[in-house]
Amino acid sequence: MELLFSYLSLAALAGFAVLMVRRTALPAPLAPFAALCATMLWFSAAGMLGVLVPAGWAYFALAAAAWVLSVRPAGAKQPAAALGAPGFAAFFVLAALLLAFFAWRQPMFSTWDEFSFWGTAARIVKTSGGLYVNADIGWAWVGTHRPALVVLGWFFQFFGGYAEWRVLAGYDILLIAIFAALTAGCKKGAPRQWVPALGFGFLLPFVVTLYGSVTRPTDLYASALSDIPLGLTFGGALAVYYINEKKALWPSVLALAALCLEKDTGFALALVAAELIAADGLLGLLAEKAPLRRWARPAAGWAGLFIACGLSFLSWQKYLAVASTADTSNVGGTEQMGMAEMVITGVKELLGIGRTEKFSTIMGGLVRALFASKTTMAGPFAVVIALAFAMAAGAAILTKDKTLRRQAGLFAVLGTAGFAAYFFFIGLTYVYVFRDEVSDGLVGFERYMYPYLLGWLLAAAALVLRAMGFERIRGLLQTGFAALTLALAALVWLRLPFSLTVFGGGNAAYAQRWATRDEARQVQAAVPEDAHIFFVSQGDDGSRWFLYSYELYPWYLDYSGTEGQGGGGTFAVPGALEEDTLYYHPYTAEELLACIRERGCDYVFIERSDDLFAAGYAALFSDGLAGCENQSAVYAWNEAEGQFDFVCNVGAKG
């Protein structure tokens, strides 16, 4: 039944996509991506206005009306035959197959960030019918947590119950729409063009985002993280512009506005894309020596790109200022400065004004990492940068079309400059925002670079595919692009065994999740829904706390530590461990009891105990912690006895 309900969402999306094709001059393969971007904006705005569920009903009603308008020939700008474009049909076939496969395979969340935000937020939105900002979850959401992708997952489960696979399918359907958009640059009836185009898109995330030795099942295409959709939406906004020969800007406006609501760094990527599009249009008018009277309309369109980015970005900031207690005036971190202040300070240091040793060390390390780190299947990031530049430069050199040559050449130059600016911006976060243990090791560096490189390569591919429309180089580019796609396929096949993907992996990949879900259900059965549960998991680095917060929601799992310290963690009496041990909470028995009671917790869920915990706190429990010696246990506060009584064991014995 969940699959059928998901198909209803896909059918509604199809109604808007078909309407766009029939009533505008938009090439059919671009319509699903434009419709998805509009969908994310619609539900993001509705969530901020507090009318998410009513907006959902309105969306499906409007989709039904869109279907009616689509089949009426009056006023149609394109015939129904336009819907036969291979990329348009391929999108809906692949989306339907993906939904069916995920409904059977039932992929699940598996990473820290999915439980600390992306997955948990999706569950909150489905459960509560509103955004996650003020959810009673135990930690404060911050401004970097934007709603577009979360509400996209909610759209695909508007009808029916909550299921993780439906969230994951929503993300992947967005990716399929972007890959299908590439085919708009291919001639109809030319499978030698559009088949490699789809293959290139599908392989791109594998090649760019998987690095080093793959030793565990990858969550690619079964992940709720934002990095891949973020990068491909960035590239999709550019691809739509380059491929759409009519040069209507509204699809790119929708994509850039949605991009700004996918993640905070989406704003920086959107500005780069808007700059590339505006610069191309400006250079085109200058090349034509167009009179000034012809500048007004294009200039309004270029301004619209930047206005859309600004309004989208600021709308979320204003919403948080009203709806949340989170501080949106600064980027947080070690320096607690605003974004503008961070950039200005960084530029000064780059120019040598007040440069610190930390700035020089981190920036130097990041530059070296571009050339030395094995961060992609193809090698260091420098190799990917060279490939993107070569693809764009090749399209510029080989084509006879002056417009395409200008676009490809400008993209090669300004795309490189945009990467340098984006790279510098990310570097500033390591200097001014992240903790020293993150900055010193450049932790997560590759993850921040992936979005730009994904989008850059996708847009470069769009230029190459468009160049195939010219007779002189069609055969050469078709053969070369097909060979490149086959080379990427071989690389993925050699580096990533099929058995380590969601498409070929076994159930063992989700065994731990099934176990924790079973434990959570047993805890929920033993504890009233309105109760606060105090969580203990010895040796936890916070990941178990986030995991069980997700599994137990809407039951409230309390933040197990003092203000400013990590969730979960290791509890022991003072002096039992080094004072600077990460996640170590040195409480006496009296302090731990006071912490639990002051937070209003009548229940304690001991997921993992050890000798340190037993030695320090056994007296707080009426059974001396005997109930959790071999497995997890739930305890309830006994006011009369002043101790916690054993309630039940959870999980498998032993």
Side-chain angles (χ1 to χ4, degrees):
M1 188 59 71
E2 288 175 347
L3 176 59
L4 177 61
F5 287 144
S6 298
Y7 280 149
L8 288 177
S9 296
L10 186 62
L13 179 73
F16 289 113
V18 171
L19 183 65
M20 288 179 179
V21 176
R22 296 300 309 277
R23 301 291 172 168
T24 74
L26 188 70
L30 303 182
F33 177 48
L36 278 167
C37 289
T39 298
M40 288 191 286
L41 291 172
W42 173 267
F43 287 120
S44 293
M48 287 186 270
L49 293 173
V51 292
L52 186 60
V53 174
W57 289 110
Y59 182 98
F60 283 89
L62 290 171
W67 272 112
V68 173
L69 291 173
S70 298
V71 299
R72 295 177 59 186
K77 292 188 176 182
Q78 294 191 83
L83 301 173
F88 187 79
F91 166 75
F92 288 104
V93 170
L94 291 173
L97 290 175
L98 182 135
L99 284 168
F101 173 72
F102 274 24
W104 168 73
R105 184 67 184 86
Q106 298 278 313
M108 304 173 76
F109 303 141
S110 60
T111 66
W112 174 301
D113 284 0
E114 285 174 323
F115 300 119
S116 66
F117 175 67
W118 298 103
T120 301
R123 186 166 191 167
I124 289 170
V125 171
K126 177 59 179 176
T127 303
S128 67
L131 289 186
Y132 44 81
V133 169
N134 295 314
D136 192 15
I137 192 65
W139 65 89
W141 311 109
V142 295
T144 56
H145 297 141
R146 294 171 184 266
L149 292 171
V150 176
V151 295
L152 177 64
W154 176 80
F155 162 65
F156 278 99
Q157 51 182 339
F158 180 78
F159 297 106
Y162 173 76
E164 292 175 31
W165 70 264
R166 302 174 79 187
V167 179
L168 298 170
Y171 280 49
D172 287 345
I173 287 172
L174 173 62
L175 302 190
I176 294 172
I178 296 170
F179 303 154
L182 284 178
T183 69
C186 306
K187 296 300 180 182
K188 188 175 180 179
R192 288 181 59 195
Q193 293 180 13
W194 65 264
V195 171
L198 288 175
F200 180 87
F202 177 79
L203 293 167
L204 190 57
F206 284 113
V207 174
V208 173
T209 66
L210 290 179
Y211 57 97
S213 298
V214 179
T215 57
R216 63 176 179 81
T218 174
D219 53 14
L220 192 61
Y221 289 110
S223 169
L225 304 184
S226 63
D227 306 290
I228 293 173
L230 183 75
L232 292 176
T233 303
F234 164 56
L238 288 168
V240 165
Y241 172 76
Y242 290 131
I243 290 174
N244 185 8
E245 296 181 5
K246 300 291 185 180
K247 289 296 174 286
L249 291 182
W250 63 267
S252 292
V253 169
L254 289 175
L256 294 183
L259 181 63
C260 293
L261 287 171
E262 288 184 359
K263 199 176 182 181
D264 58 330
T265 51
F267 182 58
L269 293 171
L271 291 179
V272 172
E275 173 201 16
L276 282 164
I277 294 171
D280 175 65
L282 177 62
L283 196 60
L285 287 177
L286 290 173
E288 295 174 13
K289 298 181 180 179
L292 289 178
R293 66 177 180 274
R294 288 185 52 199
W295 284 57
R297 186 173 179 178
W302 307 332
L305 291 168
F306 292 97
I307 291 171
C309 294
L311 288 177
S312 182
F313 179 81
L314 291 175
S315 66
W316 182 250
Q317 299 299 105
K318 294 298 183 183
Y319 167 73
L320 283 183
V322 173
S324 172
T325 58
D327 183 7
T328 61
S329 64
N330 63 66
V331 294
T334 58
E335 300 296 330
Q336 292 294 316
M337 59 175 63
M339 186 177 293
E341 182 186 359
M342 181 182 76
V343 173
I344 292 170
T345 304
V347 170
K348 287 181 178 179
E349 290 207 50
L350 181 66
L351 297 175
I353 303 173
R355 181 177 295 177
T356 62
E357 182 180 353
K358 181 178 182 180
F359 180 91
S360 299
T361 300
I362 291 176
M363 286 298 184
L366 288 171
V367 171
R368 287 190 295 274
L370 285 178
F371 298 92
S373 299
K374 293 182 179 179
T375 44
T376 76
M377 283 189 177
F381 281 139
V383 174
V384 180
I385 294 169
L387 177 60
F389 186 91
M391 290 173 66
I397 293 169
L398 291 173
T399 185
K400 277 185 174 181
D401 183 78
K402 292 182 179 180
T403 300
L404 180 57
R405 181 177 297 143
R406 181 196 71 239
Q407 290 176 341
L410 189 66
F411 173 79
V413 174
L414 291 186
T416 305
F419 176 78
Y422 179 78
F423 177 82
F424 177 67
F425 176 79
I426 295 300
L428 296 183
T429 63
Y430 279 91
V431 177
Y432 303 119
V433 178
F434 298 143
R435 301 189 307 269
D436 288 342
E437 58 266 26
V438 175
S439 298
D440 293 345
L442 302 182
V443 176
F445 161 68
E446 66 284 341
R447 185 176 171 186
Y448 289 102
M449 294 296 103
Y450 289 152
Y452 194 100
L453 295 177
L454 280 169
W456 199 2
L457 278 170
L458 189 86
L463 288 167
V464 172
L465 288 162
R466 184 168 159 233
M468 289 181 190
F470 300 98
E471 291 292 341
R472 186 171 75 93
I473 57 173
R474 180 184 300 174
L476 177 63
L477 284 181
Q478 279 185 176
T479 302
F481 192 78
L484 174 62
T485 302
L486 288 174
L488 296 183
L491 189 61
V492 171
W493 182 264
L494 292 172
R495 294 295 304 276
L496 180 65
F498 184 70
S499 60
L500 293 184
T501 70
V502 68
F503 304 101
N507 291 335
Y510 303 115
Q512 184 181 18
R513 278 297 320 281
W514 289 334
T516 57
R517 176 178 291 181
D518 180 65
E519 285 197 6
R521 287 172 177 170
Q522 293 177 55
V523 173
Q524 288 172 326
V527 176
E529 187 172 346
D530 59 350
H532 280 206
I533 307 169
F534 195 83
F535 184 63
V536 175
S537 184
Q538 292 295 94
D540 181 33
D541 61 359
S543 60
R544 304 292 291 177
W545 177 63
F546 282 126
L547 169 61
Y548 276 96
S549 291
Y550 171 83
E551 297 283 18
L552 287 168
Y553 186 81
W555 276 252
Y556 183 92
L557 196 65
D558 203 273
Y559 189 94
S560 306
T562 57
E563 189 68 27
Q565 292 181 299
T570 298
F571 293 90
V573 295
L577 292 172
E578 296 291 335
E579 291 296 327
D580 60 352
T581 301
L582 197 60
Y583 305 110
Y584 165 45
H585 306 302
Y587 293 165
T588 64
E590 293 76 14
E591 289 170 338
L592 179 60
L593 178 60
C595 177
I596 297 172
R597 300 300 296 141
E598 286 171 5
R599 293 174 180 275
C601 295
D602 291 324
Y603 293 87
V604 177
F605 172 35
I606 302 180
E607 195 261 337
R608 289 178 180 173
S609 185
D610 62 7
D611 292 342
L612 280 175
F613 190 79
Y617 310 114
L620 299 178
F621 299 86
S622 59
D623 68 345
L625 290 175
C628 61
E629 285 183 357
N630 297 317
Q631 61 191 107
S632 304
V634 177
Y635 288 83
W637 176 248
N638 185 328
E639 186 69 40
E641 299 296 331
Q643 287 182 312
F644 290 95
D645 290 338
F646 174 81
V647 175
C648 66
N649 287 121
V650 296
K653 293 184 178 181

